[in-house]
Amino acid sequence: MTNHWIDLKNSDCILIMGSNAAENHPISFKWVTKAQEKGAKVIHVDPRFTRTSAKSDIYAPLRSGSDIAFLGGLINYILSNDLAFKEYVLNATNASFIVGSDFDFKDGMFSGFDEATHKYDKSKWKFALDEKGVPQRDMTLQNPRCVYQLLKKHYSRYSVKNAVDMTGTPEDKLLEVYKTYAATNKPDRAGTVMYAMGWTQHTVGVQNIRSMSIVQMLLGNMGVAGGGVNALRGESNVQGSTDQALLFHIIPGYMPTPTTAQPAIADYLKLVAPVSNDPKSMNWKKHYPKYAVSLIKSFYKNAEPAVGYDWMPKLDAGQNASWLVLFDEMLKGKFKGFFAWGMNPAVSGANSNKTREGLTKLDWLVNVNIFDNETGSFWQGPGMDPKKIKTEVFMLPCSVSVEKEGSITNSGRWMQWRQQGPKPLGDSRPDGEIMFELAQKVRELYKKEGGVFPEPVLGLNWEDMGGEHGFDVHKTAKLINGYYLKDVEVKQPDGSMKVFKAGTQVAAFPALRDDGSTCSGNWIYCGSYVDSDPAKGNRSAKRSKEQTPAQAAVGLFPNWSWSWPVNRRVIYNRASVDATGKPYAPQKPILAWNGKGWDIDVVDGGGNPGTVHPFIMQQHGMAALYGPGLNDGPFPEYYEPLDCPVSEHPYSKVLHNPTALTFKGEKRAVCDPRFPFVCTTYRVTEHWQTGLMTRYQPWLLEAEPQMFCEMSEELAQLRGIKNGEKVWLENERGKLWAIAIVTKRFKPFIVQGNIVHEVGIPWHFGWRFPKDGGDSANLLSPSVGDPNTGIPETKAFMVNVSKAKKA
Amino acid sequence: MKLSRRGFLKLSAAAALSTAFGGIGFALKPAALDRIAMLKPDWSKQTTTACCYCAVGCGLIVNTALSGAKRAINIEGDPDHPINEGALCAKGASIYQLAEGTPGQPNPRLQKVMYRKPYGTKWEAKSWDWALERIAKNIKRDRDATFVTKNAKGQTVNRCDGLASVGSAAMDNEECWAYQAFLRSLGLVYIEHQARI
Amino acid sequence: MSGKSFFVDLTKCTACRGCQVACKQWKKLPGEKTRNTGSHQNPPDLSDVTLRVVRFSEKEIGGKMHWFFLPDQCRHCLDAPCKSGATLPDSIIVDPDTGAVIYNEKTAKESAEAIRSSCPYNIPRVNKKTKVISKCDMCNDRVKAGKLPACVQSCPTGTMNFGDRDAMLALAKKALAEAKAKYPDAQLVDEESVRVIFLTQDKPGLYAKNLMADAGPTGPRLYTRQEALASLARPFRAFLG
């Protein structure tokens, strides 16, 4: 989230699309309801009428996978009715930038496509630069090659008729949403969006969100109270685990994983630090070399940074090691050993049969969990013969959250410290203890026996993560914040010199250094643990509600927990004020210039008003209406899901995203009469993710005891299905039973004049427990993914539904 | 009302057993007051935590008995917490049951290290030392066997291609950091988790 | 002393079922073995171990979809008709401080069916084996200790409110006035007779059959709606003596 949960109350219009907030983030509705009580409009756009729709002022149905038609139509509506917030668009976005002459777009394809690799050459999409290397701008926005005009041209095809044709949304509902949301274009009004996996789990996932980001930029809704682009993250610490880079493509703090294209540290530091010659662009990433070196020192504090860099594993340039690739490689036998640590991929991964088959190819599997699950017990699952499966399996019991101490980061970037309640049950142990001890055992083996390239194994800084008594969560938190490795003398603003002694915690990331004299495990967390005494230094444990009246008015709570970066509660907040530092929304300011400094929130960037472009993390300081860095084009373009019920669409001749992540052998159902119905997946309030942490609780299982399939009365009639009866869902990938919930809340869509039925299934069930609960929705979902993130397209695919012969 | 320690233990036992009454319907006056008494510092420790389900980050208060099995006796929303102000959804309200199971029934959580040997048909309980030593040996054996210092093009990669990991957004920040550092020190690049899917 | 009351603003309920579970958590009530019968309402009904259940009701009115949610529970009637189904004077007690209608060990000696059938809201439930009759006790223990009932504390949206009766009545009236702007058919349900005052956004019957006091004898009931309401209408002070 660019903003945070409480900030929802400051909104004038809340668009809930690609999420079902009332059901899946129920407490968010505390703040949605507060906004509504003050007159805000709440809009829900979703294939199915849900508990969220029931509380919304406007509900608009939309066929799964057609979001860009809907949102592209909204962009067109704003532009063709001249509703953009001009001052904002001019000063805070790249609308005025001139795009280079190599950029082109024709019939669904951007320039630079390579048919052989299915990839674009993104160098074709660069901005036209002036002699200083700064993008050329046209402040009148009239130049046909400026972003604003290209945007207008691109979305001129996104008519209301096309949107209605592809989404199945009734025209009056579509226009009501457009009109209501576009009314947040006034400087003092804010619209926000709450989205989740309903937008991301598509082969156009990133572009779904880009579409809405463009809307937010045009309306001046980014960086303001009650605005922003808010991803409702689904796991208690999925924000933190992403920040800490448990992902192949990044290392902690969102720096790219080193590849063979950066053989030496100098190459890497050059890669991560973009250059801007625009004096008003802070270009914050220019500081990344300090963060990268401090990160390497946090890993290997006794090694020179260049050596530590050499010890970091490198991807082959362009290598994709993301989830779907990982399981594809597993199936091919690439891996001998595999850790499923606090995860249940046999249920959560797309195309479960493929995932489960992959597990049989392993020599060994370490499964760390609270409960026995479908992953650890895969060898005794449906269709498996244990006697033929070689995989050695270790199932290690870990503690539940209330049994351990440590921090987690919520969707609004609040880092909150948990205290320990009861001790771990039975032989269960906190994850940190398990990994610490395992690592020591591995090190002992390397010490004793030697081995291949032992230096990083032996050199890793475990001493700052634990000691004699095992894993030490406070020590690790201090390492993530970072400390001085040597005495460092620093010039203070008043000209005096101050010495920071070795071992002192670093106060905030501007103090990090690139000479190896500081370490920091994650620069965005630098400032979270600033004194070695936990009582003084551990800011995530703060529980004070003290705040100024202005902070209280917008619900900032700056002294409750700590928020990255630097306790800033709304990122890009600089965009909420004009060039003189005056808030655009004086009735709910989050930032204001008092003549000497900034009040309310921690200002993004610093400096006096009007001296800094507001989007400091962007090379050119401007929000990206035109985004030349993505793999599938600088503007979102409409493509159908890879499994889809239509053979063409009105936007171009290109049916699917030409750059989508696909695998050999993955079958697609396009207008396949065997699989005529769109199927989507979702969650319910009472279960969570694979259901492992909810299926075992009778209080939750009694409320949602079994796999179900929601469908319209029309579809049920077509297939002779009655409410509560057992049905089969099936496609090329798998087969699954469910209990039919026949409901008026699902309606058939009229798509290009034809009736298209959609059904929906939750993905919380698994064969292991309860025995009559059903199995994973992912038995049916395809292993195809977004070209930028690799996220699987689990929100829109095709199935057949039939009544089960026997109950 | 001041409870005797013996009285409290009896109560803890009662709370841990699904009795015919189980506090149901019969709001027996003493018993009713006792549930409140159990939350007092004489009888239980109070700690705060953040919910383990979605990323709203609701605050909770955990009361853990100071005697007996020293298990959690009540977990509810933290009224002081600015985000949830004491509220919890169905999942958050069930964390007590996640940790402690159903009173009077075996807790379904994994409480032992379990092992399934190759081609085996059942789980066997093992000790931590046995399991971690064996996993460590597997890691070393297969890391050494699959480690690549240079790729096919002769470029330095220093990575281990034969091991992979997924997980976990269910861990604390400190655990996530330590885990990724551990994996990267081994040379893994196939490091993924919930955020990707 | 006019005791305590709940104000339940159904225009705000999202059916997150936090209250349904929070109730079980506080009282450590067991979960039930259920099946999906084609509805999200589960357990399907109140029971001796499910003292509050969120009822789901789908209605299409004039082409517009509605999904009505009702967290159902004992209304803690000011003059509880269930007392008329009891024979002993103190087998159903009313807490003089809070007004909570509380079943106790003596209730077990009564005819559970007689008590059950006298409830105009169809709330009390009997354990098939033990014949013990159960219902919500207003979390009287929590209330007396200065805490909110577990269901009220768990509610995120301001649906469940609890406090002194006068304050809750005032809140209910204010909320009704505000709700009318959006929902012209909004109304308070039996607010003069019960301590659990529901605000509905449409006709109460759309939520559940027994949201409003029963309209007539549908089974072996001792009370008709008229009788029940006549009984309910007696001045509360007089009842407390």
Side-chain angles (χ1 to χ4, degrees):
Chain A
M1 290 169 91
T2 55
N3 296 43
H4 59 101
W5 295 106
I6 298 170
D7 182 66
L8 290 167
K9 75 169 184 170
N10 298 318
S11 193
D12 298 296
C13 186
I14 300 174
L15 173 63
I16 303 171
M17 185 168 173
S19 86
N20 178 9
E23 296 192 37
N24 298 334
H25 299 84
I27 310 304
S28 72
F29 253 66
K30 180 183 210 53
W31 304 105
V32 172
T33 305
K34 288 220 194 301
Q36 215 170 12
E37 284 168 359
K38 290 193 286 183
K41 293 281 179 231
V42 177
I43 303 168
H44 192 215
V45 181
D46 199 272
R48 169 186 64 131
F49 188 98
T50 69
R51 298 181 225 180
T52 301
S53 323
K55 294 294 134 185
S56 296
D57 298 282
I58 305 169
Y59 165 69
L62 147 147
R63 172 177 62 100
S64 286
S66 65
D67 302 66
I68 291 177
F70 193 103
L71 296 170
L74 176 54
I75 295 170
N76 188 21
Y77 178 87
I78 293 166
L79 293 172
S80 55
N81 291 296
D82 202 20
L83 296 172
F85 176 8
K86 284 282 165 48
E87 184 182 321
Y88 185 102
V89 165
L90 212 50
N91 296 327
T93 79
N94 62 18
S96 61
F97 289 20
I98 308 297
V99 174
S101 54
D102 286 344
F103 169 77
D104 197 9
F105 175 80
K106 264 192 215 123
D107 198 23
M109 301 296 290
F110 296 93
S111 51
F113 189 69
D114 179 346
E115 287 288 347
T117 59
H118 282 251
K119 285 190 165 78
Y120 282 108
D121 172 4
K122 291 185 263 184
S123 69
K124 302 280 185 206
W125 306 340
K126 285 182 175 168
F127 292 116
L129 305 178
D130 67 13
E131 64 284 359
K132 288 185 204 139
V134 175
Q136 294 175 29
R137 297 177 73 176
D138 171 22
M139 298 304 274
T140 69
L141 304 182
Q142 297 305 311
N143 186 321
R145 295 296 293 177
C146 80
V147 166
Y148 187 80
Q149 290 300 330
L150 289 174
L151 185 77
K152 219 170 162 175
K153 187 177 160 203
H154 189 86
Y155 288 100
S156 62
R157 296 168 297 135
Y158 286 72
S159 64
V160 169
K161 182 187 180 303
N162 286 346
V164 168
D165 264 8
M166 297 319 294
T167 60
T169 309
E171 185 174 333
D172 60 334
K173 287 287 162 201
L174 187 90
L175 286 171
E176 194 184 354
V177 175
Y178 287 3
K179 192 178 166 199
T180 308
Y181 199 79
T184 63
N185 64 345
K186 314 261 181 316
D188 64 348
R189 289 176 68 82
T192 191
V193 60
M194 298 168 74
Y195 78 90
M197 312 316 272
W199 269 357
T200 58
Q201 290 173 338
H202 294 278
T203 45
V204 291
V206 169
Q207 298 291 11
N208 281 334
I209 296 145
R210 280 271 302 140
S211 306
M212 190 64 205
S213 304
I214 290 171
V215 170
Q216 291 297 70
M217 290 176 231
L218 292 174
L219 300 174
N221 283 335
M222 291 295 289
V224 306
V229 172
N230 293 303
L232 314 185
R233 306 212 65 179
E235 312 228 2
S236 62
N237 196 34
V238 73
Q239 185 61 55
S241 59
T242 308
D243 301 337
Q244 312 309 344
L246 278 166
L247 292 163
F248 92 91
H249 70 294
I250 47 171
I251 56 177
Y254 298 96
M255 290 181 285
T257 300
T259 74
T260 51
Q262 305 93 37
I265 190 168
D267 307 310
Y268 183 76
L269 300 183
K270 200 175 161 199
L271 169 83
V272 296
V275 175
S276 169
N277 294 323
D278 179 348
K280 286 176 93 172
S281 174
M282 291 207 100
N283 180 31
W284 197 270
K285 288 185 179 174
K286 72 184 172 212
H287 299 296
Y288 272 23
K290 299 172 202 167
Y291 311 153
V293 171
S294 296
L295 173 65
I296 292 167
K297 291 299 284 185
S298 73
F299 271 63
Y300 304 114
K301 76 170 173 183
N302 297 319
E304 284 303 311
V307 174
Y309 179 77
D310 192 47
W311 292 353
M312 303 283 278
K314 315 277 178 307
L315 292 159
D316 288 340
Q319 182 183 352
N320 184 344
S322 68
W323 182 281
L324 291 176
V325 179
L326 188 161
F327 281 96
D328 197 59
E329 294 289 349
M330 188 186 290
L331 189 62
K332 290 181 195 154
K334 185 182 179 94
F335 306 118
K336 294 187 180 301
F338 178 60
F339 299 91
W341 200 306
M343 275 207 82
N344 189 13
V347 171
S348 60
N351 199 347
S352 303
N353 281 325
K354 182 176 175 180
T355 309
R356 294 171 185 186
E357 187 64 24
L359 296 171
T360 69
K361 309 289 182 192
L362 297 167
D363 286 351
W364 52 272
L365 160 69
V366 175
N367 180 61
V368 186
N369 219 305
I370 300 171
F371 298 99
D372 184 356
N373 62 6
E374 289 75 13
T375 301
S377 278
F378 79 94
W379 48 273
Q380 49 183 334
M384 295 282 175
D385 179 356
K387 293 198 186 81
K388 290 187 180 145
I389 296 167
K390 65 175 175 180
T391 317
E392 181 182 26
V393 187
F394 302 85
M395 196 150 69
L396 309 181
C398 60
S399 311
V400 297
S401 58
V402 296
E403 292 169 345
K404 58 187 193 181
E405 193 183 18
S407 74
I408 60 168
T409 304
N410 80 358
S411 202
R413 297 165 289 100
W414 290 21
M415 180 193 186
Q416 305 195 85
W417 195 262
R418 284 171 170 157
Q419 299 172 337
Q420 185 185 39
K423 295 257 187 316
L425 182 74
D427 280 354
S428 75
R429 293 183 179 182
D431 300 283
E433 268 184 37
I434 301 170
M435 65 185 72
F436 187 87
E437 200 168 322
L438 177 60
Q440 304 325 308
K441 289 198 190 300
V442 173
R443 273 151 67 98
E444 280 160 29
L445 288 175
Y446 274 90
K447 263 185 218 159
K448 211 163 74 187
E449 302 169 8
V452 179
F453 205 63
E455 293 86 353
V457 180
L458 296 172
L460 186 64
N461 183 14
W462 285 107
E463 64 188 82
D464 281 339
M465 292 184 266
E468 278 172 42
H469 301 291
F471 186 63
D472 185 327
V473 71
H474 285 277
K475 272 177 116 172
T476 311
K478 288 176 202 171
L479 177 65
I480 293 172
N481 178 88
Y483 64 90
Y484 291 91
L485 292 165
K486 298 174 187 160
D487 293 358
V488 170
E489 203 174 9
V490 181
K491 199 171 177 180
Q492 299 298 292
D494 65 2
S496 66
M497 299 301 283
K498 185 172 173 187
V499 177
F500 293 91
K501 288 278 186 197
T504 309
Q505 291 296 108
V506 176
F509 54 73
L512 293 174
R513 301 163 68 91
D514 61 5
D515 59 0
S517 58
T518 56
C519 67
S520 170
N522 193 331
W523 71 276
I524 59 175
Y525 282 80
C526 190
S528 63
Y529 210 125
V530 293
D531 191 289
S532 56
D533 175 3
K536 280 192 233 160
N538 184 4
R539 288 178 168 155
S540 69
K542 286 178 77 172
R543 282 174 65 90
S544 165
K545 288 187 179 170
E546 199 184 321
Q547 53 184 340
T548 65
Q551 289 168 337
V554 289
L556 222 51
F557 292 100
N559 295 305
W560 188 282
S561 78
W562 180 87
S563 166
W564 71 255
V566 292
N567 208 28
R568 182 172 299 129
R569 301 287 163 142
V570 175
I571 54 181
Y572 310 126
N573 58 25
R574 234 194 152 92
S576 71
V577 296
D578 68 13
T580 66
K582 209 164 94 244
Y584 284 125
Q587 80 282 18
K588 51 179 174 186
I590 46 164
L591 196 68
W593 178 252
N594 63 21
K596 288 180 190 158
W598 296 95
D599 291 331
I600 313 172
D601 198 6
V602 178
V603 66
D604 224 341
N608 288 11
T611 61
V612 172
H613 295 322
F615 288 82
I616 64 164
M617 295 308 290
Q618 295 284 339
Q619 182 183 3
H620 304 300
M622 296 293 186
L625 286 170
Y626 177 88
L630 294 176
N631 292 337
D632 43 1
F635 291 131
E637 172 65 0
Y638 187 85
Y639 303 110
E640 280 286 321
L642 266 51
D643 262 25
C644 64
V646 300
S647 57
E648 57 178 21
H649 62 74
Y651 298 97
S652 75
K653 291 195 182 67
V654 184
L655 186 61
H656 304 304
N657 188 338
T659 58
L661 176 63
T662 57
F663 297 87
K664 258 190 201 149
E666 178 71 48
K667 290 175 181 147
R668 300 181 194 180
V670 176
C671 290
D672 185 332
R674 294 174 302 161
F675 309 113
F677 310 128
V678 177
C679 182
T680 194
T681 61
Y682 41 72
R683 301 206 276 126
V684 297
T685 311
E686 300 76 9
H687 285 294
W688 189 69
Q689 314 301 55
T690 72
L692 197 68
M693 279 165 63
T694 52
R695 282 186 254 144
Y696 283 96
Q697 282 117 286
W699 295 337
L700 298 173
L701 191 64
E702 67 176 357
E704 292 287 358
Q706 289 176 303
M707 185 68 186
F708 61 81
C709 173
E710 289 182 299
M711 65 181 75
S712 67
E713 291 174 341
E714 292 82 353
L715 174 56
Q717 195 178 18
L718 190 72
R719 283 291 195 248
I721 296 163
K722 289 197 187 69
N723 189 38
E725 283 183 340
K726 191 171 171 180
V727 297
W728 286 101
L729 289 98
E730 102 184 90
N731 62 17
E732 295 263 29
R733 289 170 289 270
K735 193 173 173 186
L736 181 71
W737 69 260
I739 302 296
I741 294 184
V742 179
T743 173
K744 293 179 194 301
R745 295 179 295 100
F746 242 129
K747 298 279 187 209
F749 295 97
I750 308 292
V751 176
Q752 295 177 314
N754 300 316
I755 290 178
V756 171
H757 292 285
E758 180 164 341
V759 298
I761 52 177
W763 64 286
H764 304 298
F765 295 94
W767 59 269
R768 190 92 182 96
F769 185 85
K771 288 297 175 199
D772 62 351
D775 207 343
S776 174
N778 281 315
L779 287 162
L780 304 171
S781 64
S783 38
V784 298
D786 179 276
N788 300 288
T789 61
I791 197 170
E793 191 156 61
T794 39
K795 282 291 178 276
F797 49 89
M798 303 301 291
V799 297
N800 188 27
V801 180
S802 57
K803 183 171 166 161
K805 294 253 162 26
K806 275 187 266 175
Chain B
M1 178 186 146
K2 186 90 175 153
L3 258 183
S4 71
R5 194 165 189 79
R6 182 186 294 272
F8 177 73
L9 289 178
K10 261 164 81 180
L11 267 174
S12 302
L17 279 170
S18 180
T19 64
F21 304 133
I24 312 159
F26 283 81
L28 300 172
K29 234 178 166 184
L33 280 173
D34 290 345
R35 245 198 306 263
I36 291 292
M38 282 165 69
L39 302 186
K40 300 211 162 123
D42 287 352
W43 308 109
S44 61
K45 167 181 88 166
Q46 202 172 76
T47 52
T48 59
T49 188
C51 184
C52 60
Y53 293 105
C54 85
V56 171
C58 297
L60 297 103
I61 294 176
V62 181
N63 278 86
T64 305
L66 295 172
S67 53
K70 298 186 180 175
R71 299 304 306 168
I73 53 168
N74 189 65
I75 302 180
E76 62 183 56
D78 179 355
D80 287 335
H81 198 283
I83 294 176
N84 61 310
E85 298 177 330
L88 291 175
C89 73
K91 291 187 293 294
S94 77
I95 290 179
Y96 167 83
Q97 206 170 43
L98 174 74
E100 306 298 347
T102 298
Q105 288 175 27
N107 190 325
R109 280 173 60 186
L110 276 173
Q111 295 178 56
K112 287 264 173 229
V113 172
M114 303 303 279
Y115 175 71
R116 184 256 179 186
K117 64 182 176 223
Y119 307 104
T121 55
K122 60 178 194 316
W123 288 114
E124 304 165 47
K126 294 286 183 187
S127 74
W128 273 108
D129 269 350
W130 184 90
L132 291 182
E133 265 159 36
R134 195 170 168 94
I135 297 166
K137 278 181 192 157
N138 283 358
I139 290 173
K140 178 165 190 305
R141 180 192 67 212
D142 292 335
R143 177 182 181 271
D144 285 356
T146 65
F147 200 86
V148 189
T149 50
K150 291 199 189 307
N151 66 8
K153 288 185 189 161
Q155 298 162 316
T156 300
V157 292
N158 289 338
R159 69 177 188 237
C160 167
D161 274 345
L163 302 178
S165 168
V166 296
S168 173
M171 300 196 294
D172 298 339
N173 281 313
E174 296 74 27
E175 294 170 333
C176 288
W177 198 91
Y179 189 49
Q180 62 83 34
F182 174 45
L183 298 175
R184 291 189 160 110
S185 77
L186 293 172
L188 269 73
V189 292
Y190 284 92
I191 300 172
E192 287 283 282
H193 83 291
Q194 285 95 335
R196 183 73 65 192
I197 55 173
Chain C
M1 179 72 204
S2 56
K4 302 287 181 187
S5 283
F6 297 76
F7 166 57
V8 187
D9 184 348
L10 296 178
T11 68
K12 292 178 183 164
C13 179
T14 60
C16 75
R17 293 198 267 209
C19 60
Q20 190 176 307
V21 176
C23 172
K24 294 206 166 191
Q25 197 282 144
W26 177 248
K27 296 175 183 297
K28 303 292 183 282
L29 297 171
E32 298 186 43
K33 175 67 192 162
T34 60
R35 298 187 65 79
N36 190 318
T37 57
S39 168
H40 291 290
Q41 183 179 313
N42 231 335
D45 194 10
L46 294 167
S47 77
D48 62 313
V49 294
T50 301
L51 307 186
R52 61 185 295 109
V53 71
V54 178
R55 299 188 188 278
F56 290 63
S57 168
E58 294 174 18
K59 302 282 176 198
E60 212 166 20
I61 303 165
K64 193 174 184 305
M65 190 66 214
H66 295 272
W67 206 0
F68 298 112
F69 310 124
L70 169 66
D72 203 3
Q73 63 165 101
C74 170
R75 307 297 197 274
H76 296 279
C77 300
L78 269 68
D79 187 358
C82 59
K83 280 177 72 77
S84 73
T87 53
L88 300 164
D90 51 356
S91 62
I92 293 178
I93 54 172
V94 176
D95 187 299
D97 299 330
T98 61
V101 177
I102 297 172
Y103 294 180
N104 56 65
E105 69 271 32
K106 288 186 185 161
T107 323
K109 300 194 176 101
E110 300 283 358
S111 156
E113 212 38 56
I115 292 174
R116 177 169 148 71
S117 59
S118 64
C119 174
Y121 300 101
N122 188 23
I123 298 295
R125 291 292 183 273
V126 184
N127 181 299
K128 280 189 184 121
K129 277 188 198 150
T130 64
K131 304 295 175 201
V132 168
I133 187 157
S134 313
K135 68 164 193 70
C136 157
D137 66 356
M138 200 191 261
C139 280
N140 211 37
D141 50 354
R142 292 176 63 98
V143 173
K144 294 224 147 183
K147 292 161 104 64
L148 291 169
C151 57
V152 178
Q153 177 170 297
S154 78
C155 179
T157 56
T159 304
M160 300 291 303
N161 302 273
F162 185 82
D164 290 339
R165 178 162 177 80
D166 298 344
M168 287 301 110
L169 272 172
L171 186 62
K173 281 172 187 154
K174 185 168 166 272
L176 174 65
E178 283 165 10
K180 283 269 189 191
K182 203 163 170 180
Y183 310 108
D185 293 328
Q187 65 178 83
L188 298 176
V189 182
D190 301 341
E191 73 275 19
E192 297 302 329
S193 316
V194 294
R195 289 188 182 276
V196 181
I197 303 157
F198 288 103
L199 166 61
T200 62
Q201 69 185 53
D202 208 322
K203 293 173 194 71
L206 294 167
Y207 287 77
K209 199 172 107 231
N210 292 105
L211 171 51
M212 230 171 170
D214 197 1
T218 52
R221 295 195 185 285
L222 300 179
Y223 261 69
T224 65
R225 173 171 158 78
Q226 286 72 22
E227 286 163 343
L229 288 180
S231 151
L232 291 173
R234 260 188 288 155
F236 181 57
R237 276 180 201 287
F239 165 67
L240 276 180

